[in-house]
Amino acid sequence: MITEEQLDEYRVQGIQVRVERDDMEANDVVGIVVAWDEEQVMIRKPSRRVVKLSRSYRYVPASTPRQAGQWES
């Protein structure tokens, strides 16, 4: 799970993040961190839509390449 400090760093610096939800790259969500609580994170997508996602997903800067094979079946 992502820490409060990491989320705050992404929000304050305006770093675009990629949320990896499973092994399929097509299911990733890209946007900026808007807010969060103990269970969820709000991400604003480039289309300006805001989505709520679980904190249990993997949050990485969008500029880093996606590594294949990180998810187990």
Side-chain angles (χ1 to χ4, degrees), residues 50-65:
V50 176
V51 293
K52 288 183 183 179
L53 301 168
S54 171
R55 281 184 67 169
S56 65
Y57 293 139
R58 186 174 299 131
Y59 292 79
V60 296
S63 60
T64 61

Side-chain angles (χ1 to χ4, degrees), residues 3-27:
T3 65
E4 298 279 330
E5 293 79 20
Q6 289 172 316
L7 287 168
D8 194 46
E9 180 181 338
Y10 291 153
R11 183 188 62 80
V12 170
Q13 294 183 10
I15 297 173
Q16 193 170 36
V17 297
R18 180 177 61 250
V19 184
E20 298 175 357
R21 299 187 288 176
D22 57 23
D23 203 28
M24 295 182 61
E25 188 172 354
N27 292 335

Side-chain angles (χ1 to χ4, degrees), residues 13 16 20 22 29 35 37 41 45-48 51 62 65 69 71:
Q13 294 183 10
Q16 193 170 36
E20 298 175 357
D22 57 23
V29 175
D37 62 16
V41 177
K45 296 169 49 171
S47 65
R48 295 191 177 250
V51 293
W71 295 91

